[in-house]
Amino acid sequence: MTKETALKRTHHDFINLMPLQTGGILTDAAKEALVEFGDGYSVCDFCQGVLCQITNPPIADFVSKSLPEFLGCDVATITYGARDAKFMVMHSLMKPGDSIVVDGNRHYSTIVAAERAGLNVIEVPNSGPPEFWIDVNKYIPLIEQHKPEAMLLTYPDGNYGNLPDAKRLGEIAKEYDTPYILNGAYSVGRLPVNMDELGADFIVGSGHKSMASAAPSGVLGMRKKWENIVLRKSAKYPKKDIELIGCTLRGTVMATLIASFPYVKERVNHWDEQVQKAQWFSSELEKLGFQQMGEKPHRHDLIYFESPSLYDISKHIRERGYFLYRELKGRKIWGPQPGLTKHFKISTFAASRDELAFVIDSFKDIINKYG
Ligand SMILES: *Cc1c(COP(=O)(O)O)cnc(C)c1O
């Protein structure tokens, strides 16, 4: 192995702005659990056939008490990720050929999950640039036209960080008696989100994206009425969930999810500060000539910028777009995708205000240096 390909990461001490990573950074407790439970089926020492009922480590308490309370649902389970949670709901509620209405800002995994379940996907278009807003009232004509078996809303979406009116869609779901899946991959574990208050039937979260957990991990909450459908058991093995192929996270990842939970539960109370930080950062970058896409004022740490000035620079230098990556790396800033300059997405979630001020100054310096 060369230095570059060795099993080492080179940017542990960087300011991390990568949207995929900022909410999944482990707590110290999770790092300890990671090693303690690193051996294969480590959480299964005292399993009596149902993973979610193991009391040592305290999985049962986490799944049957802490999680439902946190998610605002009746029943919860653990999955390998948000995508697996979406798939298991689609697969158990619907049959091939059935329809689902989703927002046009949906994640690719929503589409792939629906494909795997053989569903017909109908998309509610967004408003286009610059806000790419999803008006949930636009679900109504599509529900009336297609009579879908379910609908899904991405809250927020993974491109623009827009938070559509999930509660209004809850009213629509009720009025049309259509099961409603809320995809909270970027919200559950970052901000307070309560399935019951929003009127959803299902809530999906991602442990490694937003709950300070190792990957792959996810959570799924639901109303009691769906338990017997989504969490139905095998005919031959009555303790085993069919949709989970018997059981789910069987080792160290489960331990990290539980270890970080007290911290995650507390951090959502500070969401206001996160939003203020994101808005301040966005307005400072706009002063440099970048344009923030998506909802304004912004209400999430995931922010999409168009940056024509950086793109112009990239056209005139030999290394093209990679100059930005190199310049940021030299300043120990990790975030925008290497090579991209025309537009980029960053997340302010894990960085302090001081660190973000340094990022803003760095962008200023880079523009001045080449501009
Ligand atoms: C990241 C993301 C997912 C996928 O999450 P996994 O837990 O990795 O499956 C799904 N939906 C949205 C909106 C996302 O941003």
Side-chain angles (χ1 to χ4, degrees):
M1 277 195 255
T2 64
K3 254 198 180 131
E4 276 69 32
T5 56
L7 283 172
K8 287 268 179 209
R9 294 171 82 207
T10 52
H11 51 273
H12 282 295
D13 57 342
F14 282 29
I15 297 173
N16 196 333
L17 306 173
M18 189 182 256
L20 284 174
Q21 295 180 340
T22 57
I25 296 170
L26 296 184
T27 55
D28 289 341
K31 280 185 203 162
E32 251 175 60
L34 194 64
V35 176
E36 182 69 23
F37 287 89
D39 297 333
Y41 286 93
S42 59
V43 301
C44 309
D45 291 340
F46 303 102
C47 182
Q48 298 190 336
V50 184
L51 183 116
C52 289
Q53 290 176 7
I54 294 172
T55 54
N56 178 15
I59 299 173
D61 220 52
F62 178 64
V63 176
S64 62
K65 293 204 187 91
S66 309
L67 258 189
E69 189 190 306
F70 183 65
L71 300 171
C73 65
D74 302 325
V75 182
T77 195
I78 305 292
T79 70
Y80 292 105
R83 69 195 67 206
D84 307 83
K86 289 184 287 187
F87 174 72
M88 66 191 272
V89 174
M90 291 176 187
H91 184 246
S92 44
L93 259 62
M94 293 176 260
K95 54 185 190 311
D98 283 357
S99 295
I100 183 166
V101 176
V102 309
D103 60 291
N105 289 346
R106 82 288 175 291
H107 191 251
Y108 78 85
S109 63
T110 293
I111 300 298
V112 180
E115 241 181 299
R116 186 180 177 195
L119 307 182
N120 171 35
V121 179
I122 298 128
E123 296 193 29
V124 177
N126 64 41
S127 64
E131 290 225 315
F132 299 94
W133 182 246
I134 295 289
D135 175 0
V136 298
N137 290 310
K138 298 208 164 124
Y139 277 69
I140 295 174
L142 295 176
I143 294 170
E144 288 179 346
Q145 184 186 345
H146 297 278
K147 312 257 179 301
E149 277 70 23
M151 58 194 196
L152 179 146
L153 181 68
T154 319
Y155 182 82
D157 67 282
N159 242 346
Y160 309 107
N162 286 351
L163 285 162
D165 193 345
K167 193 167 183 174
R168 170 72 190 123
L169 193 59
E171 294 164 6
I172 295 169
K174 196 168 175 197
E175 193 181 328
Y176 289 89
D177 196 20
T178 306
Y180 168 19
I181 307 164
L182 190 72
N183 177 6
Y186 261 117
S187 55
V188 171
R190 291 170 118 89
L191 54 129
V193 36
N194 185 298
M195 187 195 91
D196 197 40
E197 280 171 20
L198 297 174
D201 291 86
F202 298 95
I203 183 166
V204 168
S206 173
H208 46 280
K209 183 167 279 158
S210 299
M211 298 177 79
S213 171
S217 53
V219 297
L220 169 64
M222 68 196 81
R223 288 184 193 277
K224 181 89 183 149
K225 71 186 247 201
W226 302 113
E227 184 179 17
N228 290 337
I229 296 172
V230 179
L231 303 183
R232 69 198 179 285
K233 309 295 182 234
S234 156
K236 293 226 166 142
Y237 298 92
K239 288 180 170 181
K240 302 296 188 187
D241 276 288
I242 289 190
E243 289 294 342
L244 298 169
I245 320 184
C247 82
T248 153
L249 305 183
R250 297 175 284 287
T252 196
V253 175
M254 176 65 103
T256 64
L257 196 59
I258 295 175
S260 282
F261 184 69
Y263 164 79
V264 166
K265 191 176 152 186
E266 212 283 316
R267 82 176 175 188
V268 300
N269 299 326
H270 302 278
W271 181 241
D272 285 356
E273 296 155 39
Q274 286 289 352
V275 171
Q276 282 163 18
K277 199 169 66 171
Q279 291 182 355
W280 161 73
F281 181 79
S282 170
S283 64
E284 290 297 314
L285 282 204
E286 289 217 309
K287 286 181 195 161
L288 303 181
F290 300 163
Q291 196 192 352
Q292 186 225 299
M293 296 288 120
E295 195 183 353
K296 260 192 203 172
H298 209 57
R299 294 184 296 144
H300 197 271
D301 60 273
L302 168 63
I303 320 177
Y304 183 112
F305 292 98
E306 301 234 321
S307 45
S309 53
L310 295 175
Y311 181 61
D312 284 344
I313 295 170
S314 77
K315 286 192 282 198
H316 302 296
I317 51 181
R318 192 178 43 84
E319 57 185 332
R320 296 285 162 184
Y322 286 90
F323 85 96
L324 179 63
Y325 168 68
R326 184 178 46 75
E327 290 284 354
L328 292 174
K329 192 174 163 198
R331 291 169 171 83
K332 297 198 163 188
I333 298 169
W334 180 255
Q337 206 179 322
L340 273 191
T341 51
K342 216 174 193 169
H343 50 80
F344 56 86
K345 286 194 285 189
I346 49 187
S347 159
T348 53
F349 192 67
S352 67
R353 274 198 182 236
D354 284 349
E355 289 172 328
L356 291 174
F358 176 71
V359 173
I360 294 158
D361 285 343
S362 299
F363 273 113
K364 258 184 226 166
D365 288 349
I366 295 167
I367 291 170
N368 288 338
K369 180 170 168 186
Y370 294 90

